Amino acid sequence: MIRGINHITLSISDLDRSITFYTDVLGCGLVARWDDGCYLEAGALWLALVVEDSVRSTPLPEYTHMAFDVAAADFSATADRVRQSGATVFQDNSTEGASLYFLDPDGHKLELHVGSLTTRLDAMRREPWDGLEILV
């Protein structure tokens, strides 16, 4: 049985630029680095960045993204750092909890989010989405 996400690997084009973005802007901890990659910690998440020549230069057209959990007290400062970094914001928030949707330097869609599955389900119970069935 799956216990959770073990790690996430993102392909990148420029290691130094990505390390700066993920550590200085998002606050991830750098735990290992080698010629064409690194490992970062974001809370309990193990994030791997690997340099590849074939990295795409534009974001994928679909909604697929990775959301980082941010404490409510830290959201404004973290969101301000993202905006000040020049990261592109790709959509406005339309769900419960504070969120900022943005692109990393290689166009990976990311989100800062305040909330949890419980707070999301509570909001959905108050304002049900079309066809909603909550099963827990």
Side-chain angles (χ1 to χ4, degrees):
M1 173 175 223
I2 293 175
R3 299 183 303 172
I5 302 238
N6 182 277
H7 68 278
I8 294 172
T9 300
L10 298 176
S11 296
I12 59 167
S13 60
D14 182 315
L15 184 60
D16 290 330
R17 178 181 69 177
S18 290
I19 287 174
T20 297
F21 182 80
Y22 280 90
T23 59
D24 294 354
V25 176
L26 298 183
C28 296
L30 181 63
V31 296
R33 177 187 174 137
W34 57 96
D35 288 347
D36 61 354
C38 71
Y39 290 148
L40 302 158
E41 286 183 317
L45 173 67
W46 165 17
L47 180 62
L49 303 179
V50 178
V51 175
E52 288 191 289
D53 293 335
S54 61
V55 171
R56 60 188 159 70
S57 60
T58 59
L60 295 174
E62 75 267 4
Y63 182 63
T64 301
H65 68 280
M66 181 172 59
F68 291 103
D69 184 34
V70 180
D74 298 330
F75 180 80
S76 291
T78 308
D80 286 346
R81 280 197 313 276
V82 169
R83 287 185 190 100
Q84 290 169 3
S85 77
T88 299
V89 174
F90 70 89
Q91 88 174 32
D92 293 328
N93 184 29
S94 62
T95 58
E96 60 74 39
S99 284
L100 178 67
Y101 297 86
F102 60 98
L103 304 177
D104 81 352
D106 288 290
H108 297 289
K109 290 181 178 178
L110 305 175
E111 175 187 1
L112 301 177
H113 182 71
V114 175
S116 65
L117 179 57
T118 300
T119 60
R120 176 61 53 88
L121 293 175
D122 289 345
M124 293 172 76
R125 286 183 181 99
R126 289 190 302 276
E127 295 183 38
W129 297 359
D130 292 342
L132 175 66
E133 284 185 65
I134 296 178
L135 305 172
V136 291

